[in-house]
Amino acid sequence: MTLTEPDSVHTEHTPLSEEHLTVLGDRLRSVLDGTYATERAVGRATFPAEGMLRDPSLDVEASREWTLGRLLELERHGFGHAGVPEGANSVSDPLTAVMAFEMLAHGDLSVTIKSGVQFGLFGGAVTNLGTDWHHETYLPDITSLKLLGCFAMTELGHGSDVQSLETTITYIPETDEYEVDSPTAAATKAYIGNAAKDGTMAAVFGQLIVDGVGHGVHVVLVPLRDESGADLPGITTGDHGHKGGLLGVDNGTIRFSRVRVPRRMLLDRYGGVSVDGVYASPIDNPNRRFFTMLGTLVRGRVCVGGGAGIAARRALSIAVRWGLTRHQFPAAGRPDGVLLLDYLTHQKRLLPRLARAYALGFAQNELITDLVHVQGPTPSTEEEQRSLETHAAGLKAMTTWFANQTVQEAREACGGSGYMSENQLVEMRRDVDIFATFEGDNTVLMQLVTKALLTDYRKEWSELDRTGVVQATARVAGDAVAEATSAGLVLGALADAVRRRPEETTLVDRRWHALMFDERARHSLEALARRMRAAAKVRGDQFEAFNALGDHVQFVARAYMEQRVLTAFVDAIDALPAGETREVLERVCSLYALQSIHDDRAWFMEHNRITSGRSKAIGAQINDLCRELRPHALSLVEGLGVPEKWLGAAILA
Amino acid sequence: MTLTEPDSVHTEHTPLSEEHLTVLGDRLRSVLDGTYATERAVGRATFPAEGMLRDPSLDVEASREWTLGRLLELERHGFGHAGVPEGANSVSDPLTAVMAFEMLAHGDLSVTIKSGVQFGLFGGAVTNLGTDWHHETYLPDITSLKLLGCFAMTELGHGSDVQSLETTITYIPETDEYEVDSPTAAATKAYIGNAAKDGTMAAVFGQLIVDGVGHGVHVVLVPLRDESGADLPGITTGDHGHKGGLLGVDNGTIRFSRVRVPRRMLLDRYGGVSVDGVYASPIDNPNRRFFTMLGTLVRGRVCVGGGAGIAARRALSIAVRWGLTRHQFPAAGRPDGVLLLDYLTHQKRLLPRLARAYALGFAQNELITDLVHVQGPTPSTEEEQRSLETHAAGLKAMTTWFANQTVQEAREACGGSGYMSENQLVEMRRDVDIFATFEGDNTVLMQLVTKALLTDYRKEWSELDRTGVVQATARVAGDAVAEATSAGLVLGALADAVRRRPEETTLVDRRWHALMFDERARHSLEALARRMRAAAKVRGDQFEAFNALGDHVQFVARAYMEQRVLTAFVDAIDALPAGETREVLERVCSLYALQSIHDDRAWFMEHNRITSGRSKAIGAQINDLCRELRPHALSLVEGLGVPEKWLGAAILA
């Protein structure tokens, strides 16, 4: 047995997209595809799947070469720059961008990420932060891959803390130029995709300084390399070399030593120096300007979360299909060994995660709809924009964490064969690992979610403070919280119906799930608000006072996002007619909801939301749901939408 | 910045073993080294550390070549075959073997595992299952690496289920030979180290058949390759190629097509065919014979657990040292950014794991002592042997799971730089991943632990059944359980002292920890015994009745092992004089114990062992302990015993 050669996987005569699904699997797929069923079905039918997986034994250089080649091939098939406008006259198309990223994530993730760097980040910066001249001059070459670029934000000394970037972009009135400089070693741009080899230009984030005055972080285009690939004067690039994964992406470092570029190279949609050498911006408040500029990058987070979700689906597809094939240990009535997926312990490794994959998929669909609305031609409100940013941050964190845990669990569920690269799981695990860190470190993103929730009722707090109605505080704040966290009206109504006698419901009563999710989100936010208020009054080390709240901040964000996810699931089910598909999905939703409650059952007991008896019963109910869903395992995997032939795992051949 | 070349790491003039420790760090190291402080100190001083880390960018072929070269180099330095006797007249030395494995695990893990395959598994099989002729004929060449061998146990169709192996070893009286055969594709030996390239002989596990009668699994030596490296007639080897990690180990497959070997090639210490063609064994019961043969392999599990523990220590050393260097986000009173390890959330990622690394280290020391006793010159009882097997299985599972989680957490705690191979964490994570599966899948090993616990009072059960004293069952069984689970007398006495009024103790009262650990182990085992009994009475599908108990079986094993680990920690502290070292270790022990209780706090509440108020207080106490230990973070890392210069992480340079 030798390692399966990528070529040999694809020598069959039937096209890779041909599938024979069970009736239920086909229906589940339509439901999970949801609003985007057509786009996704077309994507599966037309995606150039031949050679979509990289040979894992390629070294760094060969991986980079293969990845760039694959990107060019996809471009020839029209799967390249999807969503990035080809010039000033075409419009940005967020839906096509997100759909293309999803489809790419079914194959090698280096290709997915290199495409994301080129089109989503570099192309996105030019599109969203640039103006007509930038669009006309650069978008045609960006979309045709003639110009490969970098998104040079992160610095060695400043990962998540973009506002503290040290790179300077200083306006030089004498020559009407900007001078880009890395004043310290910590200012070195780091982990930048396309920087080690392929990038010939970078969108560089730095502090804009005009006439000695700082105007905060702006972005300027800086050419990096000449046609031979050599660094231009003042530019020093470096190569991160071998990484934990994504070997096909040439991540590297960039240092600038007083590099001059013409004034027009600044991406000046939200601020720049006018022809008479004066700084001007359509947004007066520097803080708001900063977040507006970063906010345009929200699409990247939506894509990364979506891509991680696809990776988790691929891993679950492999592990569940293998569990339906593999026998181990003879047992009573099973002389040839027990089918792996008939072990309850094995079911519990995979089926609750399968349920969560559905749940996160429905939430992702909603998020895409919000993105398409906010970035579409119809104007959106500031509140809608802010809500999109919060949910994109939260769902990116939730889904990338989920993907990492799920791919690892799938690898272990396949035992020794899971460790062989020809079965795809270890490569996927390596690649998806960093999804939890890039496009915003997950822990920092969850802090953003909680910050947004707390902001929603700051006003109420200060008014109460002035009138001194201290006793009423908790209750009133509670109502504000209820508003902030009632992720959907449907869920709120469900919860209210059983609020008085929650323990009289069954464990699969959706109203009870809604109530528990609501209580978790509501109470944890209320309590955090109180603790924040107390911390702000502490004399002495303010940092330490807030430092103690770190875990609580994370919990609030998670509780809120879980509620969003359940809402999306319930909304999707409510749209279905009665029948087997709906019945199966009701069980899948219960399994998701109960596993979420079970994971936090200590919190629910600590806060007297469930009794110890009910807590134990949840575990038994999860077992029952696993047994009930076991006969539908294949259909449920088909519903995840990953064509079997795309999996490329040797154990399934 | 380019990838650090392995050579350039080692060009300094000071030797790699030179260290300057804090006073506390030095003392902590002595305590954790424990009984083996001398051996470990000598190991650190004499280990040939130059070039101990592999260049992660090497491809599969180059990695294998480098690994074999390093193994030969270690052999020249006398660090090779440690513990394997060089001939029939020298004795097996378990302590030296375990110490050598630990030391090797400070460097590239492919070297560690290839060494383990050659000396621990292949050499161990010849030593422990063979007799004089095998020792005289093969051990000199095995120890000098002239003969590289395989341990061919696992088959494609049979991973954990060794008793169901399909390979046959049939005695042929006509020629006084054995015929080794793989009757089906599922019988193919798989994932076998040294099989793809370097191995020229294999210790093959298969069903021994003599005159048509099966005698269960035995082991026979079979030559694989000629001097040119080509498969011998009847042998077909395969190459697993690229894997999730351990690229330097040439894992592969072996199939046998009616291969004949002389009768003396059977490793016949526990059974074989005599000169007159009749099967004979010193152990009559085939089942006991099987477990006796596997039992001799216990040393491998002790080594693998120990090696995984070292990997976790290396990862913690890198992440904590980085957390003491790196600043992020300015805050009140900290204009240059907060030191990463000053964030409570960051402390909580690393310090409880640091505490657990100490705890598991003390338990590993005890296990080594048990191994040295059982495999040493003094005779040991069957009970001692069985106890060693149980604890080796349990601690291997606990430590390898811990290592996987800890290395991943360390990688994430180092953010993007954690993902760069030059910082070692991702390579370590890849390599240690499979430690959870090989040498016994962790889930299966934990089942063995529980099985051993249940066996201990089976007799009591059946007696009670006969006399019909149903009411007394729970109580009496409880006492039996108490005996089975009282991992140490000290801990039992501590627990008893507070059993009546547990909530009157403080949260850092060791007596309360002892009580909680005891209650968890005792009650979960009692309950499982009752459920097992009920399941055995179920009519219909017996498999399904037991299937429902899978999670419970895992919990019992874990609860028992946690108690063992705490006992080892308490024993180590009890031996110390009063003073700073002891005070710090008391806090480390409390952090370990409270985190363990906290992780299971839902169980404790469900079983009314703690109130919801006390459960919340545990979280706050963990925060306090993290804050108290934070100033000692560097010393605690030094205590883990990994010389700073061996870490090889570019971010610490």
Side-chain angles (χ1 to χ4, degrees):
Chain A
M1 177 172 39
T2 55
L3 183 75
T4 310
E5 294 294 325
D7 286 342
S8 72
V9 177
H10 306 306
T11 51
E12 292 152 30
H13 293 293
T14 49
L16 279 174
S17 57
E18 191 179 281
E19 288 183 278
H20 302 285
L21 304 181
T22 60
V23 173
L24 178 61
D26 191 44
R27 289 190 184 146
L28 287 168
R29 184 179 290 187
S30 295
V31 178
L32 186 57
D33 280 348
T35 314
Y36 310 105
T38 308
E39 287 83 353
R40 284 167 169 152
V42 169
R44 278 190 281 264
T46 61
F47 184 65
E50 304 282 328
M52 70 202 289
L53 296 170
R54 186 166 42 95
D55 175 353
S57 70
L58 295 180
D59 68 14
V60 170
E61 280 316 306
S63 296
R64 289 175 177 180
E65 201 176 313
W66 182 89
T67 302
L68 182 58
R70 172 76 180 154
L71 211 59
L72 290 162
E73 185 194 323
L74 285 164
E75 166 61 21
R76 282 194 298 275
H77 282 86
F79 259 87
H81 65 280
V84 174
E86 291 177 50
N89 296 325
S90 58
V91 290
S92 171
D93 175 2
L95 181 59
T96 312
V98 175
M99 290 295 125
F101 197 95
E102 263 187 21
M103 207 47 64
L104 286 174
H106 287 81
D108 176 63
L109 291 171
S110 286
V111 172
T112 316
I113 295 306
K114 196 172 175 88
S115 166
V117 167
Q118 170 70 6
F119 301 116
L121 294 177
F122 178 61
V126 173
T127 308
N128 297 315
L129 304 180
T131 45
D132 281 356
W133 181 81
H134 307 107
H135 297 167
E136 283 159 19
T137 310
Y138 295 115
L139 288 179
D141 285 354
I142 291 174
T143 51
S144 69
L145 291 167
K146 270 186 209 130
L147 171 62
L148 289 166
C150 306
F151 184 76
M153 187 163 81
T154 300
E155 295 178 357
L156 269 184
H158 307 278
S160 297
D161 186 7
V162 178
Q163 246 166 331
S164 298
L165 291 178
E166 291 182 60
T167 300
T168 52
I169 306 170
T170 309
Y171 180 63
I172 311 290
E174 290 74 13
T175 57
D176 199 25
E177 290 177 311
Y178 290 106
E179 185 175 279
V180 182
D181 193 54
S182 314
T184 66
T188 305
K189 296 295 179 183
Y191 319 125
I192 310 298
N194 275 344
K197 187 164 163 277
D198 293 333
T200 53
M201 183 176 278
V204 180
F205 284 68
Q207 306 289 346
L208 180 64
I209 299 165
V210 182
D211 202 13
V213 177
H215 293 279
V217 171
H218 286 65
V219 185
V220 65
L221 294 175
V222 182
L224 295 180
R225 290 185 167 89
D226 64 20
E227 285 184 9
S228 77
D231 289 347
L232 290 169
I235 304 285
T236 309
T237 60
D239 191 339
H240 281 300
H242 198 273
K243 307 190 299 290
L246 297 179
L247 291 196
V249 185
D250 55 322
N251 292 85
T253 56
I254 315 174
R255 284 202 67 170
F256 304 96
S257 177
R258 306 183 67 171
V259 175
R260 295 284 182 96
V261 293
R263 185 169 54 86
R264 64 187 180 186
M265 298 297 270
L266 193 83
L267 298 174
D268 58 351
R269 180 168 168 193
Y270 296 111
V273 171
S274 65
V275 68
D276 49 359
V278 177
Y279 180 79
S281 166
I283 306 173
D284 287 339
N285 182 317
N287 210 40
R288 234 191 91 219
R289 187 188 312 137
F290 173 73
F291 284 107
T292 302
M293 289 173 68
L294 285 197
T296 60
L297 306 172
V298 67
R299 194 190 295 179
R301 288 184 183 155
V302 176
C303 284
V304 163
I310 298 296
R313 293 183 191 188
R314 287 165 61 197
L316 284 168
S317 299
I318 293 168
V320 171
R321 285 176 185 274
W322 171 240
L324 290 168
T325 313
R326 171 83 168 178
H327 293 76
Q328 274 280 59
F329 289 109
R334 290 151 181 88
D336 297 331
V338 178
L339 197 61
L340 219 48
L341 203 64
D342 283 341
Y343 285 109
L344 181 63
T345 44
H346 208 77
Q347 291 167 17
K348 290 181 74 171
R349 296 176 99 157
L350 298 175
L351 299 187
R353 289 187 166 82
L354 193 56
R356 194 171 176 84
Y358 272 83
L360 291 169
F362 290 121
Q364 179 74 12
N365 288 349
E366 281 197 0
L367 186 66
I368 294 170
T369 301
D370 290 349
L371 176 77
V372 170
H373 170 60
V374 168
Q375 297 196 347
T378 328
S380 56
T381 66
E382 199 175 312
E383 198 185 324
E384 286 171 330
Q385 290 165 30
R386 219 192 45 151
S387 160
L388 171 67
E389 282 162 30
T390 302
H391 297 140
L395 200 60
K396 182 269 184 184
M398 299 279 279
T399 309
T400 55
W401 270 327
F402 169 70
N404 271 309
Q405 291 156 2
T406 299
V407 180
Q408 180 65 25
E409 194 68 48
R411 163 353 240 154
E412 291 178 30
C414 292
S417 49
Y419 197 58
M420 303 299 119
S421 299
E422 62 178 8
N423 292 319
Q424 302 299 335
L425 294 165
V426 282
E427 282 305 295
M428 221 184 293
R429 177 67 188 77
R430 294 174 67 188
D431 290 342
V432 89
D433 186 353
I434 197 66
F435 281 50
T437 301
F438 66 29
E439 289 295 304
D441 177 86
N442 282 358
T443 306
V444 176
L445 292 181
M446 292 301 255
Q447 287 168 0
L448 293 183
V449 172
T450 301
K451 202 171 167 184
L453 295 174
L454 287 168
T455 304
D456 278 345
Y457 61 95
R458 191 191 292 154
K459 193 164 158 288
E460 273 87 336
W461 272 111
S462 54
E463 278 172 6
L464 281 167
D465 199 34
R466 274 198 297 278
T467 54
V469 194
V470 176
Q471 294 302 335
T473 302
R475 190 64 233 137
V476 178
D479 288 344
V481 173
E483 250 174 75
T485 61
S486 267
L489 286 174
V490 175
L491 212 64
L494 286 175
D496 283 339
V498 296
R499 199 177 289 277
R500 277 160 183 265
R501 292 192 181 79
E503 304 252 327
E504 286 176 13
T505 60
T506 68
L507 289 173
V508 292
D509 190 323
R510 193 76 65 234
R511 298 172 304 172
W512 182 70
H513 301 158
L515 178 64
M516 289 299 103
F517 277 57
D518 187 55
E519 291 282 310
R520 178 171 57 181
R522 174 203 276 266
H523 180 82
S524 64
L525 180 55
E526 274 178 28
L528 179 64
R530 275 197 301 276
R531 293 181 71 190
M532 284 273 181
R533 204 171 155 75
K537 288 181 181 163
V538 163
R539 286 172 208 278
D541 196 338
Q542 279 282 314
F543 166 75
E544 281 300 344
F546 284 102
N547 198 20
L549 306 179
D551 283 350
H552 198 150
V553 166
Q554 293 292 309
F555 187 88
V556 166
R558 196 163 57 74
Y560 173 74
M561 288 307 302
E562 289 285 331
Q563 198 182 19
R564 285 282 300 184
V565 170
L566 179 62
T567 304
F569 208 146
V570 169
D571 285 346
I573 291 177
D574 278 351
L576 293 180
E580 189 193 22
T581 309
R582 183 175 174 132
E583 279 164 27
V584 168
L585 277 175
E586 291 278 15
R587 286 199 173 88
V588 173
C589 186
S590 289
L591 183 54
Y592 156 67
L594 281 178
Q595 186 67 52
S596 174
I597 297 170
H598 188 260
D599 291 342
D600 281 338
R601 67 195 193 282
W603 186 92
F604 285 105
M605 282 186 279
E606 283 167 357
H607 296 82
N608 298 316
R609 259 60 178 186
I610 59 174
T611 61
S612 57
R614 198 163 174 94
S615 178
K616 282 200 246 183
I618 294 170
Q621 184 71 60
I622 288 173
N623 289 356
D624 288 346
L625 284 166
C626 284
R627 280 190 208 97
E628 289 164 23
L629 288 172
R630 160 70 189 84
H632 304 299
L634 178 62
S635 299
L636 283 166
V637 157
E638 290 173 343
L640 294 179
V642 188
E644 185 181 1
K645 287 180 184 168
W646 291 11
L647 294 172
I651 38 171
L652 300 179
Chain B
M1 177 172 45
T2 55
L3 184 75
T4 310
E5 295 292 324
D7 286 342
S8 71
V9 177
H10 305 306
T11 50
E12 293 152 31
H13 293 294
T14 49
L16 278 174
S17 57
E18 190 179 281
E19 289 184 277
H20 301 286
L21 304 182
T22 60
V23 173
L24 178 60
D26 191 45
R27 286 187 186 150
L28 287 167
R29 184 178 290 187
S30 296
V31 178
L32 186 56
D33 280 350
T35 314
Y36 309 106
T38 308
E39 288 82 353
R40 285 167 170 152
V42 169
R44 278 189 282 265
T46 60
F47 184 65
E50 304 282 328
M52 69 202 290
L53 296 171
R54 186 165 43 93
D55 175 353
S57 69
L58 295 180
D59 67 14
V60 170
E61 281 316 306
S63 296
R64 289 175 177 179
E65 201 176 312
W66 181 90
T67 302
L68 182 58
R70 172 76 180 154
L71 211 59
L72 290 162
E73 185 195 323
L74 285 164
E75 167 61 20
R76 283 194 297 276
H77 281 87
F79 259 89
H81 65 279
V84 175
E86 290 177 52
N89 297 325
S90 57
V91 290
S92 172
D93 175 2
L95 181 59
T96 311
V98 175
M99 290 294 126
F101 197 95
E102 264 187 20
M103 207 47 64
L104 286 174
H106 287 81
D108 176 64
L109 290 171
S110 285
V111 172
T112 316
I113 295 306
K114 196 171 174 89
S115 167
V117 167
Q118 171 70 7
F119 301 116
L121 295 177
F122 178 61
V126 173
T127 308
N128 297 316
L129 305 179
T131 45
D132 281 356
W133 181 81
H134 307 106
H135 297 166
E136 283 160 17
T137 311
Y138 294 115
L139 287 180
D141 285 353
I142 291 175
T143 50
S144 68
L145 291 167
K146 270 186 209 131
L147 172 62
L148 289 165
C150 306
F151 184 77
M153 186 162 81
T154 300
E155 296 177 359
L156 269 185
H158 308 277
S160 296
D161 185 7
V162 177
Q163 244 165 333
S164 297
L165 291 178
E166 291 182 62
T167 300
T168 52
I169 306 170
T170 311
Y171 180 65
I172 311 291
E174 290 74 13
T175 56
D176 198 28
E177 290 176 310
Y178 290 107
E179 186 175 280
V180 182
D181 193 54
S182 315
T184 65
T188 305
K189 297 294 181 184
Y191 319 124
I192 310 298
N194 275 344
K197 186 163 164 277
D198 292 333
T200 53
M201 182 176 277
V204 180
F205 285 69
Q207 306 290 346
L208 180 64
I209 300 165
V210 182
D211 202 14
V213 178
H215 293 280
V217 171
H218 286 65
V219 186
V220 65
L221 294 175
V222 182
L224 296 180
R225 289 184 167 90
D226 64 22
E227 285 184 8
S228 76
D231 288 347
L232 290 169
I235 305 283
T236 309
T237 61
D239 191 339
H240 281 299
H242 197 273
K243 307 188 301 288
L246 298 179
L247 291 196
V249 185
D250 56 322
N251 292 86
T253 55
I254 316 173
R255 285 201 66 170
F256 304 95
S257 177
R258 307 182 67 171
V259 175
R260 295 283 183 96
V261 293
R263 184 169 55 87
R264 64 187 179 187
M265 297 297 270
L266 194 82
L267 297 174
D268 58 351
R269 180 166 167 193
Y270 296 111
V273 172
S274 65
V275 68
D276 47 0
V278 177
Y279 180 79
S281 166
I283 306 173
D284 286 339
N285 182 318
N287 210 39
R288 233 190 93 219
R289 188 189 311 137
F290 172 73
F291 284 106
T292 301
M293 288 173 69
L294 286 198
T296 60
L297 306 172
V298 69
R299 193 190 297 179
R301 289 187 180 153
V302 176
C303 285
V304 163
I310 299 296
R313 293 183 191 188
R314 288 164 61 197
L316 284 168
S317 299
I318 292 169
V320 171
R321 285 175 184 275
W322 170 239
L324 290 169
T325 314
R326 171 82 169 179
H327 293 77
Q328 274 281 58
F329 289 107
R334 290 152 180 87
D336 297 331
V338 178
L339 197 61
L340 219 49
L341 203 64
D342 283 341
Y343 286 108
L344 182 62
T345 45
H346 208 78
Q347 290 168 16
K348 290 180 75 173
R349 296 176 99 157
L350 298 175
L351 298 186
R353 288 187 168 82
L354 193 57
R356 194 170 177 84
Y358 272 83
L360 291 169
F362 290 122
Q364 179 73 12
N365 287 350
E366 280 197 0
L367 185 66
I368 294 170
T369 301
D370 290 349
L371 176 77
V372 169
H373 169 60
V374 167
Q375 298 196 347
T378 329
S380 56
T381 66
E382 199 175 314
E383 197 187 325
E384 286 170 331
Q385 290 164 29
R386 219 192 44 148
S387 161
L388 171 66
E389 282 162 30
T390 302
H391 297 139
L395 200 60
K396 182 269 183 185
M398 300 280 280
T399 309
T400 55
W401 271 327
F402 169 69
N404 271 307
Q405 291 156 2
T406 299
V407 180
Q408 180 64 26
E409 194 70 47
R411 164 354 241 153
E412 292 178 30
C414 292
S417 49
Y419 197 59
M420 302 300 119
S421 300
E422 63 178 6
N423 291 319
Q424 302 299 334
L425 294 164
V426 282
E427 282 305 296
M428 220 184 292
R429 177 66 186 78
R430 293 175 69 188
D431 290 343
V432 88
D433 185 354
I434 198 65
F435 281 49
T437 302
F438 67 28
E439 291 294 305
D441 176 85
N442 282 358
T443 307
V444 176
L445 292 181
M446 292 301 256
Q447 287 168 0
L448 293 183
V449 172
T450 301
K451 203 170 166 187
L453 294 175
L454 288 168
T455 304
D456 279 345
Y457 59 95
R458 191 190 291 154
K459 192 163 158 287
E460 273 86 337
W461 275 110
S462 54
E463 277 172 7
L464 281 166
D465 198 35
R466 274 197 298 278
T467 54
V469 194
V470 176
Q471 294 301 335
T473 302
R475 191 63 232 137
V476 178
D479 287 344
V481 173
E483 250 174 77
T485 61
S486 266
L489 285 174
V490 175
L491 213 63
L494 285 175
D496 283 338
V498 296
R499 199 177 290 277
R500 276 161 185 265
R501 293 191 180 80
E503 304 252 328
E504 286 176 14
T505 59
T506 68
L507 289 172
V508 292
D509 189 323
R510 193 76 64 234
R511 298 172 305 173
W512 182 70
H513 301 158
L515 178 63
M516 289 299 104
F517 277 57
D518 187 55
E519 291 282 310
R520 177 170 58 181
R522 174 202 274 266
H523 180 82
S524 64
L525 180 54
E526 275 176 29
L528 178 65
R530 276 197 301 276
R531 293 181 70 190
M532 285 272 181
R533 203 172 155 76
K537 287 179 182 164
V538 162
R539 287 172 207 277
D541 196 338
Q542 279 282 314
F543 166 74
E544 281 301 343
F546 283 102
N547 199 19
L549 306 179
D551 282 349
H552 199 148
V553 166
Q554 293 292 310
F555 187 88
V556 166
R558 195 163 56 74
Y560 173 73
M561 288 307 301
E562 289 285 329
Q563 197 183 18
R564 285 283 300 184
V565 171
L566 179 61
T567 303
F569 208 145
V570 169
D571 286 346
I573 291 177
D574 278 351
L576 293 180
E580 189 192 21
T581 308
R582 182 174 175 133
E583 280 164 24
V584 168
L585 277 175
E586 290 279 14
R587 285 198 173 90
V588 173
C589 186
S590 289
L591 183 54
Y592 156 68
L594 281 178
Q595 187 66 53
S596 174
I597 296 170
H598 189 260
D599 291 342
D600 281 337
R601 68 195 193 282
W603 185 92
F604 285 105
M605 282 186 278
E606 282 168 356
H607 296 82
N608 298 316
R609 261 58 178 188
I610 59 174
T611 61
S612 57
R614 196 163 175 96
S615 179
K616 282 201 247 184
I618 293 171
Q621 184 69 62
I622 288 173
N623 288 356
D624 288 344
L625 284 166
C626 284
R627 280 191 209 97
E628 289 165 23
L629 288 171
R630 160 68 188 85
H632 304 299
L634 178 63
S635 298
L636 284 166
V637 156
E638 290 172 343
L640 294 179
V642 187
E644 184 180 3
K645 288 180 184 169
W646 292 10
L647 294 174
I651 38 170
L652 300 179

